[in-house]
Amino acid sequence: VGVLLSAVQILPTFELLRNSPRAEATYDFFTSFSMPRGFVWTLFAPYFSGGGDGRLFRAAYVGPSFFGEYVAYVGLATLMLAALAVVLKRDARTKFWAVAAVAALLLALGRYAPFGIYHLVYYVPVLNLFRVPASHLMEAEFALAVLAGRGVTVLAGRRGDSRTLRRVLVVCACVFLLTCVAVTWARPFDFRLGRQAPVGVMRAPELFLPVVFAALGALAVWVFARGRRRGACALLVAFIVLDAAAWGQSSGWRTHSPKSDF
């Protein structure tokens, strides 16, 4: 059904592409704008290599070009909830969306995907006419959003359950630890502050705020899972919105978008 609904776009596009330079696209063209493997860490710290708009996040960007194409951040509480859906509710739908998230993330890696699997994708009809593998992050992020919703649903039905709470604690701790790794060991070696000072996690909001958001996200998920406080659901939703807005509103679109009088 999905293929049939999208045929109104796919078929004309396929017809036009055969008469364009993309009809003979090389592998290098096909894999241009592949997400470097290191940018998987942007799931935990979106500006771990700099790149903010200069208001709150001022560290100069030190990664490859087209930074905005490669950021996979969906929010740390979202990651926790998505992981909890996989841990607590392993039904067919959860497995489908988990596989979709992983597959889309592998496609986003493009030429950097392990075992050279993108060489096989190069021979898939229609798909091999398009470049920018990083665009597959859209599917990955959508799948994570669906999984997070399923995580909320399963937690709402098991509030206060001791076994569930133990798993919540483990999952939240894992995401918190991975966030700490992202801003310390995984960050680029040439990361530098927006001012003259030695680099340190506590000196750069790009580095310490992800840790803060991970801790607050874990707290919001924990409070919701316990279900003993009124407004726990509102707290969780409010934090997810705050988390996404804090980073999204600081991206380069503010400085690179056309002005209203353009």
Side-chain angles (χ1 to χ4, degrees):
V1 172
V3 172
L4 292 175
L5 288 173
S6 60
V8 67
Q9 173 66 52
I10 292 176
L11 294 180
T13 300
F14 179 66
E15 181 181 8
L16 292 173
L17 285 175
R18 290 184 299 172
N19 297 286
S20 76
R22 295 183 181 228
E24 299 179 356
T26 64
Y27 181 75
D28 286 338
F29 176 85
F30 175 60
T31 58
S32 57
F33 307 108
S34 297
M35 184 181 77
R37 294 183 185 182
F39 275 77
V40 174
W41 290 109
T42 59
L43 283 166
F44 304 93
Y47 297 137
F48 81 124
S49 59
D53 64 359
R55 294 179 301 164
L56 174 60
F57 304 108
R58 300 180 180 180
Y61 179 63
V62 294
S65 58
F66 299 98
F67 166 67
E69 298 276 359
Y70 309 138
V71 178
Y73 193 73
V74 295
L76 292 167
T78 303
L79 280 185
M80 296 172 187
L81 292 169
L84 284 168
V86 176
V87 171
L88 298 175
K89 191 174 180 63
R90 300 177 185 175
D91 59 0
R93 291 183 180 180
T94 298
K95 291 177 181 178
F96 170 83
W97 288 109
V99 170
V102 174
L105 189 59
L106 286 175
L107 288 174
L109 293 174
R111 69 180 65 179
Y112 304 112
F115 311 114
I117 60 175
Y118 218 68
H119 286 280
L120 299 177
V121 181
Y122 179 56
Y123 294 100
V124 177
V126 181
L127 186 60
N128 60 7
L129 299 176
F130 298 90
R131 59 174 183 165
V132 193
S135 298
H136 289 289
L137 286 175
M138 180 186 68
E139 298 105 82
E141 292 164 356
F142 182 81
L144 288 172
V146 174
L147 286 172
R150 293 185 67 78
V152 170
T153 300
V154 68
L155 287 179
R158 302 186 187 182
R159 289 186 175 183
D161 178 68
S162 59
R163 184 180 180 184
T164 299
L165 289 175
R166 287 195 297 270
R167 294 185 178 184
V168 169
L169 185 62
V170 171
V171 168
C172 291
C174 288
V175 173
F176 178 82
L177 289 175
L178 287 171
T179 304
C180 293
V181 171
V183 300
T184 53
W185 175 79
R187 77 169 187 256
F189 70 92
D190 53 348
F191 180 90
R192 58 184 183 275
L193 303 180
R195 63 186 189 281
Q196 293 296 325
V199 175
V201 172
M202 298 308 298
R203 290 192 175 98
E206 294 88 349
L207 303 181
F208 71 76
L209 278 183
V211 178
V212 173
F213 275 99
L216 293 177
L219 178 61
V221 173
W222 174 260
V223 171
F224 178 77
R226 292 190 66 186
R228 296 181 181 178
R229 292 179 179 271
R230 296 182 62 183
C233 183
L235 173 66
L236 180 60
V237 173
F239 175 78
I240 291 175
V241 172
L242 174 64
D243 189 4
W247 303 100
Q249 293 298 320
S250 299
S251 61
W253 70 269
R254 283 188 173 274
T255 56
H256 292 81
S257 296
K259 304 299 183 183
S260 58
D261 57 347
F262 178 72

